[in-house]
C-alpha cells in the first residue's frame, strides 16, 4: 500500500466506523493508561506543595490537554511507521492504516500536528514539563518505534522509559520533579512496563514472530523471559516503602499487590500452560497499575492513610 493511495475518509463511510478507526489510531486504551499517571503526578504535586486545585485549574487543563496530545501524536506516528507489521499481526489488522480507511499521509500529518500542539500547550505550563514530554515522545517514536523495536530485545526497556515519564510531566507542571514521590512513580511505571510487555509478547508470540519483531520470548525463548519477568517484579518490592508519606494503608496495599504479582510470576515456572499463565499475568498487571495510581490519588484524602 502506497502512502497516498487512499483518501482520508469517503463520504459513504459509516460515522461509527470512522469513530472506531480513530479509536484504533489513537490506541484509546493505551492513551488512557498513559494519561492516568499524568493526572496522578499533578494531583500529588498539589498535595505535597500545599496548592489548591481551584488556584491551578488552568495549569491542570493545559497539562492534561498538552500531555494527551503529545502521547496521541506519538501513538499515531507509531501506527504510521508500523503499518507493514500491523498488516501481519492479528491484533492490529483493524487499524485504519492497515484497512486503508485513513491514508498514511493523513496519519503522518495528524501525528506531527498532535505532537507539536501538545508540546506548545505544555510550554505554557513549565519548560520542565514540556521537556519530559519531549523526551518521552522522542524515545517512543525514534529510539523505540524506528530504531530498536525490530532489531533488539532491549526495545522493551527503551519503550518503558518513554511510558514512565508521564507522572513527571504532571508533577513538573507545578513544581520541579526533583522529589522522591515523582521519582518513585517513574520507577514503578518503568519497572512495571517490562514484565507487562513480556507477557504480552508471550500471549502474542506467533504474531510477533511472523512480523519479525525482536521480542524477548521470540528471540531467546520462554524460559529466560519468565526469569526476567520475575526479576523485574521483585524490583518493585521495596518501592512502596519510599512512599511512606502516602500513608501506611498505601504501603500495605501496594506491598500486597507486589507480593501477589511475584507469586503469580513464580508460578509460571511450574506450569505447562504458558498461555494461560501469560493471560493471568496480563490481567493482573493491568489491574495492578490502575489500583496503584488510584490509591496514590485517594491517599491524599485525610481519612485514607
Amino acid at each position: 500500500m502506497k502512502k497516498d493511495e487512499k483518501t482520508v475518509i469517503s463520504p459513504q463511510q459509516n460515522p461509527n466506523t470512522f469513530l472506531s478507526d480513530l479509536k484504533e489510531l489513537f490506541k484509546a486504551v493505551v492513551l488512557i493508561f498513559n494519561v492516568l499517571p499524568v493526572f496522578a503526578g499533578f494531583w500529588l504535586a498539589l498535595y505535597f506543595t500545599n496548592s489548591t486545585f481551584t488556584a491551578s485549574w488552568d495549569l491542570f487543563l493545559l497539562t492534561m490537554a498538552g500531555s494527551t496530545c503529545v502521547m496521541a501524536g506519538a501513538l499515531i506516528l507509531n501506527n504510521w511507521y508500523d503499518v507493514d507489521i500491523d498488516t501481519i499481526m492479528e491484533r492490529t489488522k483493524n487499524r485504519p492504516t492497515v484497512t486503508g480507511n485513513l491514508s498514511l499521509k493523513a496519519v503522518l500529518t495528524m501525528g506531527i500536528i498532535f505532537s507539536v500542539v501538545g508540546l506548545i500547550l505544555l510550554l505554557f505550563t513549565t519548560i520542565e514539563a514540556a521537556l519530559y514530554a519531549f523526551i518521552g515522545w522522542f524515545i517512543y517514536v525514534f529510539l523505540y518505534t524506528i530504531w530498536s523495536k525490530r532489531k533488539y530485545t532491549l526495545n522493551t526497556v527503551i519503550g518503558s522509559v518513554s511510558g514512565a515519564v508521564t507522572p513527571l510531566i504532571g508533577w513538573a507542571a507545578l513544581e520541579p520533579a526533583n522529589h522522591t514521590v515523582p521519582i518513585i512513580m517513574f520507577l514503578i511505571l518503568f519497572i512495571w512496563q517490562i514484565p507487562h510487555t513480556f507477557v504480552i509478547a508471550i500471549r502474542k508470540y506467533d504474531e510477533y514472530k511472523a512480523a519479525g519483531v525482536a521480542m524477548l520470548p521470540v528471540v531467546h525463548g520462554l524460559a529466560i523471559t519468565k526469569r526476567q519477568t520475575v526479576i523485574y517484579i521483585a524490583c518493585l518490592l521495596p518501592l512502596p516503602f519510599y512512599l511512606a508519606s502516602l500513608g501506611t494503608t498505601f504501603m500495605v496495599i501496594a506491598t500486597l499487590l507486589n507480593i501477589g504479582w511475584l507469586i503469580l510470576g513464580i508460578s509460571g515456572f511450574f506450569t505447562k500452560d504458558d498461555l494461560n499463565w501469560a493471560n493471568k499475568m496480563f490481567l493482573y498487571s493491568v489491574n495492578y497499575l490502575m489500583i496503584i495510581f488510584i490509591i496514590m490519588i485517594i491517599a491524599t484524602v485525610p481519612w485514607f492513610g
Side-chain angles (χ1 to χ4, degrees), residues 12-31:
Q12 295 80 21
Q13 188 172 343
N14 190 311
N16 291 331
T17 301
F18 183 60
L19 291 175
S20 178
D21 284 339
L22 290 180
K23 181 180 177 181
E24 288 286 337
L25 185 66
F26 284 92
K27 300 183 182 180
V29 175
V30 176
L31 185 59

Side-chain angles (χ1 to χ4, degrees), residues 28-259:
V29 175
V30 176
L31 185 59
I32 291 170
F33 266 84
N34 277 277
V35 170
L36 176 60
V38 177
F39 174 78
F42 188 93
W43 183 268
L44 291 177
L46 285 174
Y47 175 77
F48 283 98
T49 59
N50 295 314
S51 302
T52 62
F53 185 80
T54 53
S56 308
W57 66 269
D58 52 342
L59 276 179
F60 172 75
L61 292 177
L62 285 168
T63 302
M64 297 308 294
S67 58
T68 300
C69 284
V70 171
M71 290 183 285
L75 292 169
I76 292 170
L77 291 172
N78 174 269
N79 278 341
W80 170 78
Y81 189 81
D82 278 351
V83 63
D84 56 335
I85 61 176
D86 285 347
T87 304
I88 299 171
M89 299 181 66
E90 183 69 22
R91 71 186 184 93
T92 57
K93 68 178 183 180
N94 292 323
R95 289 178 179 169
T97 46
V98 176
T99 63
N101 289 339
L102 294 175
S103 71
L104 293 183
K105 183 177 180 181
V107 170
L108 175 60
T109 302
M110 288 174 63
I112 294 172
I113 290 174
F114 271 94
S115 301
V116 171
V117 169
L119 289 171
I120 291 173
L121 289 174
L122 286 172
L123 283 172
F124 284 99
T125 61
T126 65
I127 294 177
E128 184 178 351
L131 180 61
Y132 289 135
F134 175 76
I135 290 172
W137 179 91
F138 180 84
I139 291 174
Y140 186 77
V141 174
F142 287 96
L143 299 187
Y144 171 70
T145 299
I146 296 177
W147 176 59
S148 66
K149 183 175 180 179
R150 304 170 189 230
K151 299 178 181 178
Y152 309 107
T153 57
L154 194 62
N155 64 35
T156 300
V157 176
I158 293 171
S160 295
V161 176
S162 65
V165 301
T166 47
L168 300 180
I169 298 170
W171 187 288
L174 278 169
E175 188 81 6
N178 56 342
H179 187 284
T180 301
V181 172
I183 293 172
I184 296 301
M185 293 171 77
F186 169 88
L187 289 174
I188 289 173
L189 264 174
F190 170 70
I191 295 171
W192 167 85
Q193 286 177 93
I194 299 172
H196 174 75
T197 305
F198 284 165
V199 296
I200 291 175
I202 293 173
R203 294 172 72 230
K204 304 298 180 182
Y205 177 92
D206 292 336
E207 295 182 35
Y208 280 117
K209 184 176 182 179
V213 180
M215 303 303 291
L216 186 64
V218 174
V219 177
H220 295 295
L222 295 182
I224 191 171
T225 303
K226 288 182 179 181
R227 288 198 297 271
Q228 290 201 20
T229 296
V230 169
I231 290 170
Y232 278 109
I233 294 172
C235 290
L236 289 168
L237 289 174
L239 297 185
F241 299 98
Y242 289 95
L243 296 175
S245 54
L246 293 180
T248 303
T249 306
F250 168 79
M251 288 194 296
V252 170
I253 294 175
T255 299
L256 290 175
L257 285 171
N258 287 338
I259 293 172

